[in-house]
Amino acid sequence: MDKEKSKEELLKEKLFYKKKNGFKDSAEGYREAVMSYAEGYKKFLDSAKTEREAVKQGIKMATEAGFTEYKLGDKIVAGGKYYLNNRDKSLYIFVAGTNSLENGIKICAAHIDSPRLDMKQHPLYESENMAYLKTHYYGGIRKYQWVTIPLALHGVVSRADGERIEVVIGEDEGDPVFCITDLLPHLAQEQSQKTLANAFSGEGLNLLIGSEPYGELDEAVKLNMLKILNEKYGITESDFISAELSAVPAIKARDLGLDRSFVAGYGHDDRVCAYPAITAILENKDSKDTIMCVLADKEEIGSEGVSGMQCDLIVDLMEELCKCLGGNFNVVKASSSCLSADVNAGYDPMYPEVFEKRNSSLMNCGVVMSKYTGARGKSSTSDASAEYVGKIRRMFDENGVIWQTAELGKVDIGGGGTVAMYIANHNIDTVDLGVPVLSMHAPMEIIAKNDLYEAHKAFSTFCKN
Ligand code: MN
Ligand code: MN
């Protein structure tokens, strides 16, 4: 008895050791592989700051790997490699396998939208000879983090004449940037007494965009801004109504740390899972089973709408696969499985009070599996079954994936959701798997390169097994 107990103790110690020292005993060449994978990721991050840009990059990567465009209703042949572009906002990359579809489809689903500041429909105004754009924040932001940082403007404008104009200002070295101002400390005594939640208001997040007047007219600065936009993009003030313009941090992804072990950048949530989900499907493009990478929009605001994960498109596509390749639709759904690829809150030693360490994800300790997410009493989670978690866990262990499990913070503190439940609702086994992030939803988030690389390994292993 005693002997067995001590063996179990040893196992526990080993697991704890692994958690504390995730990558100490990694194989030769591992660090090089991690570093080189992160280089590709940083480029992706810089070129995909909005969901539309991420879709574009996803299509580029898929096309280079031999995938071709599929539109609903097109013929799908076994062995074919396709992508479905949903309104330039969400993307489905899939391999139609030669094996029976009733074996199930393996799905990796990440989201490609990130918190940001969207422009309102009537955004442009002038105050005291300065021109501003009014914003409406998108997703869960901490407002104080978005002032006094350089911001770039990204998006599209659907002009009155029907032209669609793409806008990116603030990313090239020579580009101007934009900013939301804040009080100087000398005059901030009253503001400093307010709570963080109350000190900054949504209506106060107005983007400073210029100050030079055009002539002697009324609102000459506003007019000058319109003149510049018209000269560059041919747009007029009313075109803002049919536009999607967002202010995002005008920063590039950078290595962080003397050892370059971290990447600091905007939008790791959830491109740090989207990128590995793409590279995993490309690596398995000759899969005999049908595999799918979903890049969804609108996760940050509840996965609603035509580009969100609650849209029927995923099951419509599965139905089309059944029509073309054969298979009972309901059986195919029931035998399919999914990794909901989303980030987790990395344990931050600066804020130990909000974490329960035993059940938190640690940086550099591998990809994180979350059996359930939700808030407080597991509200709004699909809670993966013990059997499904067991299956994934064995798969990872057999294939050398370094992984850990975690919840998002202490039980009563808060919580969060992912797309997992929306996929599970279709009768598809789903569990959350992703990368731990520090400063999640901040303009500059931090991830560890080791964890990013393990995410790729995890998704690729899932596609293979
Ligand atoms: Mn996310
Ligand atoms: Mn998020």
Side-chain angles (χ1 to χ4, degrees):
M1 271 301 264
D2 267 350
K3 215 176 176 186
E4 244 179 84
K5 208 177 177 185
S6 73
K7 195 176 156 194
E8 203 172 275
E9 222 83 71
L10 269 172
L11 277 171
K12 271 186 193 160
E13 264 176 38
K14 189 164 187 325
L15 191 66
F16 187 64
Y17 171 81
K18 188 173 150 188
K19 268 209 120 180
K20 294 280 268 188
N21 302 284
F23 290 85
K24 248 188 184 160
D25 51 4
S26 51
E28 185 99 17
Y30 184 84
R31 190 170 190 275
E32 288 68 29
V34 165
M35 289 292 164
S36 115
Y37 186 79
E39 289 308 305
Y41 171 59
K42 283 189 287 178
K43 288 200 186 87
F44 177 80
L45 210 53
D46 288 340
S47 56
K49 287 192 172 181
T50 63
E51 71 282 0
R52 288 175 184 272
E53 292 168 2
V55 163
K56 216 183 244 183
Q57 288 306 311
I59 291 174
K60 188 166 168 254
M61 290 167 74
T63 306
E64 281 166 10
F67 286 66
T68 55
E69 180 162 21
Y70 162 83
K71 289 194 163 86
L72 279 182
D74 284 357
K75 202 171 157 44
I76 299 169
V77 296
K81 309 178 221 319
Y82 307 96
Y83 66 84
L84 167 61
N85 172 3
N86 176 22
R87 299 170 169 89
D88 295 330
K89 285 163 161 277
S90 73
L91 185 67
Y92 294 71
I93 307 172
F94 60 101
V95 175
T98 47
N99 287 346
S100 166
L101 210 53
E102 292 189 4
N103 289 356
I105 301 170
K106 283 176 272 189
I107 304 162
C108 293
H111 69 89
I112 47 176
D113 59 318
S114 297
R116 63 189 186 222
L117 304 174
D118 287 347
M119 298 310 123
K120 290 191 182 189
Q121 302 306 124
H122 294 293
L124 182 61
Y125 74 98
E126 176 179 335
S127 181
E128 308 309 322
N129 306 316
M130 293 188 277
Y132 295 88
L133 292 175
K134 289 205 69 69
T135 69
H136 193 138
Y137 60 94
Y138 173 96
I141 65 160
R142 308 191 70 198
K143 297 179 193 109
Y144 73 90
Q145 295 175 338
W146 292 76
V147 299
T148 69
I149 59 167
L151 295 165
L153 210 54
H154 289 232
V156 298
V157 182
S158 181
R159 262 183 359 203
D161 63 1
E163 272 298 305
R164 189 179 80 159
I165 310 295
E166 292 185 14
V167 175
V168 180
I169 309 169
E171 294 294 342
D172 287 340
E173 276 303 314
D175 274 3
V177 293
F178 311 100
C179 190
I180 296 162
T181 55
D182 191 12
L183 271 179
L184 58 167
H186 318 66
L187 299 178
Q189 282 176 47
E190 215 169 282
Q191 185 200 45
S192 300
Q193 299 309 312
K194 293 182 183 170
T195 60
L196 262 183
N198 294 329
F200 298 85
S201 74
E203 294 302 342
L205 299 179
N206 301 315
L207 203 62
L208 178 60
I209 64 160
S211 63
E212 210 171 20
Y214 178 62
E216 306 274 311
L217 298 151
D218 251 12
E219 298 200 300
V221 178
K222 174 179 169 179
L223 198 65
N224 194 31
M225 299 304 116
L226 286 169
K227 179 176 165 279
I228 292 167
L229 287 171
N230 187 266
E231 280 167 6
K232 189 159 181 198
Y233 300 108
I235 60 178
T236 60
E237 189 174 10
S238 71
D239 290 329
F240 281 120
I241 291 168
S242 49
E244 287 175 1
L245 293 169
S246 306
V248 297
I251 57 167
K252 299 248 184 285
R254 312 267 307 250
D255 287 348
L256 188 148
L258 292 171
D259 56 2
R260 299 180 177 271
S261 58
F262 297 108
V263 177
Y266 164 68
H268 285 313
D269 177 9
D270 184 33
R271 293 175 189 102
V272 74
C273 296
Y275 182 74
I278 301 171
T279 58
I281 197 165
L282 300 188
E283 194 173 274
N284 291 282
K285 61 183 179 183
D286 298 318
S287 169
K288 299 266 182 294
D289 287 327
T290 297
I291 56 177
M292 188 184 286
C293 160
V294 184
L295 303 178
D297 180 31
K298 296 287 180 277
E299 192 279 339
E300 296 295 355
I301 56 168
S303 298
E304 310 275 355
V306 287
S307 55
M309 207 64 242
Q310 294 202 61
C311 175
D312 281 344
L313 182 55
I314 185 165
V315 281
D316 291 348
L317 178 56
M318 288 172 85
E319 219 175 332
E320 293 298 317
L321 279 160
C322 289
K323 277 186 207 157
C324 294
L325 304 175
N328 178 307
F329 177 53
N330 290 331
V331 173
V332 170
K333 279 197 297 175
S335 54
S336 291
S337 53
C338 174
L339 293 181
S340 161
D342 208 344
V343 296
N344 198 283
Y347 181 88
D348 190 337
M350 299 298 109
Y351 302 97
E353 63 278 8
V354 301
F355 294 95
E356 190 264 292
K357 204 171 171 185
R358 290 183 72 86
N359 290 287
S360 295
S361 58
L362 303 189
M363 304 303 284
N364 284 303
C365 288
V367 73
V368 193
M369 178 152 56
S370 298
K371 185 175 180 296
Y372 47 84
T373 56
R376 287 159 291 273
K378 296 195 180 179
S379 161
S380 295
T381 180
S382 64
D383 205 348
S385 72
E387 291 85 349
Y388 185 56
V389 171
K391 183 180 152 187
I392 300 296
R393 169 190 139 160
R394 282 188 292 281
M395 185 192 291
F396 287 168
D397 284 342
E398 279 160 17
N399 290 281
V401 174
I402 300 170
W403 62 279
Q404 52 183 326
T405 66
E407 299 193 5
L408 203 146
K410 278 184 177 167
V411 174
D412 288 328
I413 296 261
T418 64
V419 298
M421 59 182 166
Y422 306 118
I423 296 167
N425 285 349
H426 296 303
N427 194 27
I428 299 170
D429 272 316
T430 305
V431 70
D432 278 295
L433 197 91
V435 173
V437 178
L438 296 176
S439 308
M440 195 197 294
H441 283 203
M444 190 180 91
E445 304 173 311
I446 295 159
I447 60 104
K449 291 179 181 176
N450 283 330
D451 301 329
L452 164 71
Y453 187 65
E454 289 302 316
H456 166 77
K457 267 168 63 186
F459 299 140
S460 191
T461 296
F462 176 73
C463 289
K464 271 190 201 81
N465 288 275

